[in-house]
Amino acid sequence: DVQLQASGGGLVQAGGSLRLSCVVSGFSFDEYNVGWFRQVPGKGLEGVSCIAYTDNSTAYADSVKGRFTSTIDNAKRTLYLQMDNLKPEDTAVYYCAADGFHRGNRFLTSRRLQIRYWGQGTQVTVSS
């Protein structure tokens, strides 16, 4: 049974940092592409990052490049999203996700139904 459990959200001032975690079970990181999406209520889903299982290559949304870094700790079965220099426009609910087919920019531009597995969301709020 595949599960993804996200945590680490919170309230932070602009310019600050947060690290999101996503503990996975039921699969290994060499089986699925994994990454993060975010969504503001009333707006569409935005792909944030992706790590491809084939070669560990990473892809990031232009809006977060140079500020966000996604990594994997295989021993802890955890996907991370380190978010630095946060901006108010980063405020959203963040979701971790996994899919065996979509990777890279295709992962980032996928709709919810195109991605196989989702974790529950964690709220990130950045105050100005």
Side-chain angles (χ1 to χ4, degrees):
D1 189 26
V2 171
Q3 293 188 356
L4 298 89
Q5 184 75 31
S7 62
L11 173 64
V12 64
Q13 287 189 329
S17 298
L18 278 176
R19 188 177 76 163
L20 304 184
S21 301
C22 177
V23 179
V24 308
S25 60
F27 71 94
S28 62
F29 287 118
D30 60 0
E31 294 179 283
Y32 287 97
N33 306 306
V34 292
W36 296 89
F37 289 81
R38 65 187 182 185
Q39 188 166 25
V40 176
K43 295 189 177 181
L45 195 65
E46 179 186 13
V48 174
S49 68
C50 176
I51 300 178
Y53 74 87
T54 51
D55 58 3
N56 288 322
S57 59
T58 55
Y60 295 93
D62 288 343
S63 58
V64 307
K65 280 181 182 176
R67 301 188 298 121
F68 290 13
T69 305
S70 189
T71 57
I72 287 171
D73 185 326
N74 281 291
K76 295 183 178 180
R77 305 185 62 81
T78 302
L79 167 71
Y80 297 102
L81 183 67
Q82 177 66 41
M83 305 184 294
D84 298 318
N85 190 21
L86 281 160
K87 303 176 180 180
E89 52 263 43
D90 295 318
T91 296
V93 178
Y94 284 71
Y95 301 90
C96 54
D99 189 77
F101 177 70
H102 297 91
R103 55 173 288 177
N105 284 329
R106 291 192 67 178
F107 185 97
L108 298 182
T109 57
S110 291
R111 298 183 178 183
R112 184 172 285 271
L113 289 179
Q114 294 176 296
I115 299 297
R116 187 167 183 182
Y117 298 113
W118 291 88
Q120 91 293 358
T122 185
Q123 175 72 46
V124 171
T125 303
V126 184
S127 63
S128 57

